[in-house]
């Protein structure tokens, strides 16, 4: 963000002390400015803002005594790189500037006295290991954007950049053009995360053109399943999901690859292709996992029959991921049975306990 203090002061003078001003920043220039008479209109502005590749950040001049909600939530919702918040006194004189940037580890931002702040505020952090670009293809509602950003971080990928593509699916020409735009970005990252699956061929082509690892939302969820599953049942379920995903993923990845020719007595065919060999190995592994899952179902069925003889009712806690199911389960049981954390898919394995609540016992 390279906007001079003189330019900012000229804009501040034009705004009454009790009003707010939002500057939309596009790289090194101001792309637009919006005056908000009340805190309600300021909140409505951010609620109605539609993310775009053109806007990289905001500068917000707050009226006396006003404050913003968590700026890092706004950074995720609006898909911007930074937000600079300028606080003013009752006379409209700027006091401090708080610069919040994507990728801040402590999420506290950098605070400067307004008249002593550097001329060029840098929002670019140091190189991040295993950084990711999150590419939103197709529709992108605020709730979906927040969920996708959190899912990427929970999977272990620090987000260093975001990009918006209006179409969910890509043609070959669109993938080539997209790869060129991604190559022109300044940020360094090793992984591209697609918010929606555009099809395996587009994923493979994008990976080849950019030289980056390309993952989809489903890949992140399966990786979290495999990482968080600790029990036998959870690991089997995660492995089955990974096998199903890998079968789809490998369909086009090994296209055209084959072994040396084989055969005898001059009838030399092309031999077994790598694709066919990989498919055979996946099928064999899938069979073993399915057999283990069937045994697991029988074991759980026997446990269910044993519980039915006790005549105690069974209660299930269901809900979306990170809704608080594990916290509620631990509170009812009265001990830390399930891992609870502010993460997606923090607990995968099913748990059951006999508890007594309000004078009644139930599973």
């Amino acid at each position: 963000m390279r906007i001079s203090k003189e330019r900012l002061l000229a804009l501040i003078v034009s705004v009454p002390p009790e009003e707010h001003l939002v500057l939309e920043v596009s790289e090194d220039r101001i792309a637009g400015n919006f005056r908000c008479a009340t805190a309600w209109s300021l909140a409505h502005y951010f609620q109605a803002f539609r993310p775009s590749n053109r806007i990289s950040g905001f500068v917000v001049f707050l009226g006396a005594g006003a404050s913003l909600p968590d700026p890092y939530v706004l950074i995720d919702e609006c898909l911007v790189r930074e937000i600079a918040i300028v606080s003013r006194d009752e006379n409209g004189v700027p006091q401090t500037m708080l610069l919040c940037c994507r990728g801040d580890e402590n999420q506290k931002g950098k605070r400067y006295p307004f008249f002593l702040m550097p001329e060029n505020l840098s929002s670019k952090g140091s190189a991040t290991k295993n950084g990711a670009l999150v590419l939103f293809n197709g529709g992108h509602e605020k709730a979906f954007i927040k969920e996708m950003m959190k899912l990427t971080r929970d999977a272990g990928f620090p987000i260093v950049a975001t990009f918006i593509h209006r179409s969910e699916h890509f043609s070959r020409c669109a993938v080539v053009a997209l790869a060129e735009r991604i190559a022109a970005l300044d940020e360094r990252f090793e992984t591209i995360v697609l918010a929606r699956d555009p099809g395996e061929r587009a994923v493979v082509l994008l990976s080849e053109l950019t030289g980056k690892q390309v993952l989809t939302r489903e890949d992140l969820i399966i990786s979290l399943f495999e990482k968080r599953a600790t029990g036998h049942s959870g690991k089997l379920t995660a492995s089955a999901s990974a096998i199903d995903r890998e079968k789809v993923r490998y369909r086009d990845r090994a296209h055209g690859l084959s072994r040396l020719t084989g055969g005898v007595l001059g009838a030399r065919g092309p031999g077994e292709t790598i694709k066919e060999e990989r498919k055979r190995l996946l099928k064999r592994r899938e069979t073993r996992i399915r057999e283990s899952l069937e045994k697991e179902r029988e074991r759980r069925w026997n446990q269910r029959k044993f519980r039915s003889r006790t005549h105690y009712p069974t209660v299930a806690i269901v809900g979306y991921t990170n809704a608080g199911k594990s916290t509620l389960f631990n509170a009812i049981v009265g001990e830390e049975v399930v891992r609870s954390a502010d993460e997606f898919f923090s607990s995968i394995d099913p748990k059951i306990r006999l508890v007594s609540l309000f004078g009644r016992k139930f599973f």
Side-chain angles (χ1 to χ4, degrees), residues 40-112:
W40 177 267
S41 59
L42 180 64
H44 180 266
Y45 166 82
F46 285 109
Q47 185 65 31
F49 177 80
R50 291 182 61 84
S52 71
N53 296 320
R54 186 175 62 92
I55 304 302
S56 62
F58 299 109
V59 179
V60 184
F61 299 116
L62 294 178
S67 62
L68 268 184
D70 189 349
Y72 290 95
V73 173
L74 295 178
I75 287 175
D76 280 355
E77 287 182 348
C78 300
L79 297 182
V80 294
R81 196 166 54 219
E82 71 268 330
I83 295 180
I85 304 172
V86 179
S87 300
R88 298 182 293 163
D89 62 15
E90 61 275 5
N91 298 318
V93 178
Q95 299 296 306
T96 60
M97 171 178 278
L98 176 66
L99 181 64
C100 302
C101 305
R102 180 195 297 133
D104 287 350
E105 294 182 0
N106 55 9
Q107 293 199 348
K108 293 183 179 179
K110 296 179 181 178
R111 190 177 297 273
Y112 305 93

Side-chain angles (χ1 to χ4, degrees), residues 137-363:
N137 51 322
H140 42 277
E141 299 77 15
K142 292 291 182 68
F144 179 78
I145 288 175
K146 286 176 60 178
E147 178 183 301
M148 192 65 207
M149 300 286 274
K150 180 172 175 54
L151 181 63
T152 305
R153 293 192 182 98
D154 287 352
F157 296 98
I159 300 173
V160 299
T162 59
F163 195 83
I164 298 173
H165 192 276
R166 298 298 175 185
S167 176
E168 180 176 344
H169 299 282
F170 308 134
S171 64
R172 182 178 181 85
C173 294
V175 174
V176 174
L178 181 62
E180 292 175 353
R181 296 193 66 180
I182 290 176
L185 296 177
D186 293 336
E187 288 84 355
R188 295 183 180 180
F189 50 88
E190 293 79 37
T191 304
I192 300 174
V193 178
L194 297 173
R196 291 177 172 84
D197 195 341
E200 181 53 32
R201 293 186 179 181
V203 171
V204 173
L205 182 58
L206 183 61
S207 178
E208 291 175 351
L209 293 176
T210 59
K212 311 287 186 183
Q213 179 187 22
V214 180
L215 302 175
T216 63
R217 172 188 172 88
E218 289 77 9
D219 295 325
L220 297 183
I221 292 175
I222 290 175
S223 70
L224 284 174
F225 270 46
E226 293 181 317
K227 185 188 302 182
R228 306 276 168 75
T230 56
H232 184 63
S233 177
K235 288 181 178 179
L236 285 176
T237 304
S239 298
S241 301
I243 286 291
D244 291 339
R245 183 64 180 163
E246 194 170 354
K247 284 167 61 179
V248 176
R249 175 57 53 92
Y250 203 79
R251 189 170 297 157
D252 294 322
R253 194 175 293 276
H255 180 70
L257 300 177
S258 63
R259 290 187 169 198
L260 295 175
T261 56
V264 294
L265 299 178
R268 304 181 66 186
E272 183 182 39
T273 64
I274 293 179
K275 180 180 177 181
E276 291 169 346
E277 179 190 20
R278 182 61 176 164
K279 186 177 179 180
R280 175 171 51 83
L281 294 175
L282 286 175
K283 189 173 182 179
R284 185 183 302 170
R285 187 180 170 198
E286 181 185 26
T287 301
R288 291 199 302 266
I289 292 176
R290 297 297 179 193
E291 291 174 352
S292 300
L293 276 174
E294 191 61 35
K295 293 179 181 178
E296 180 67 15
R297 289 192 189 98
E298 292 178 4
R299 183 183 69 83
R300 294 172 68 178
W301 174 250
N302 291 331
Q303 291 179 343
R304 192 176 297 116
K305 286 196 300 183
F306 171 78
R307 291 195 301 270
S308 65
R309 298 194 197 106
T310 64
H311 303 293
Y312 292 137
T314 299
V315 178
I317 302 177
V318 297
Y320 198 62
T321 180
N322 203 34
K325 301 184 299 294
S326 300
T327 303
L328 179 59
F329 185 93
N330 292 334
I332 293 175
V333 174
E335 57 178 309
E336 191 75 17
V337 177
V338 184
R339 177 179 178 267
S340 59
D342 185 19
E343 299 172 342
F344 287 151
F345 308 106
S346 62
S347 55
I348 302 297
D349 304 283
K351 299 291 184 182
I352 188 165
R353 292 291 188 274
L354 178 63
V355 297
S356 178
L357 192 64
F358 303 119
R360 295 192 61 183
K361 289 186 176 182
F362 59 91
F363 286 104

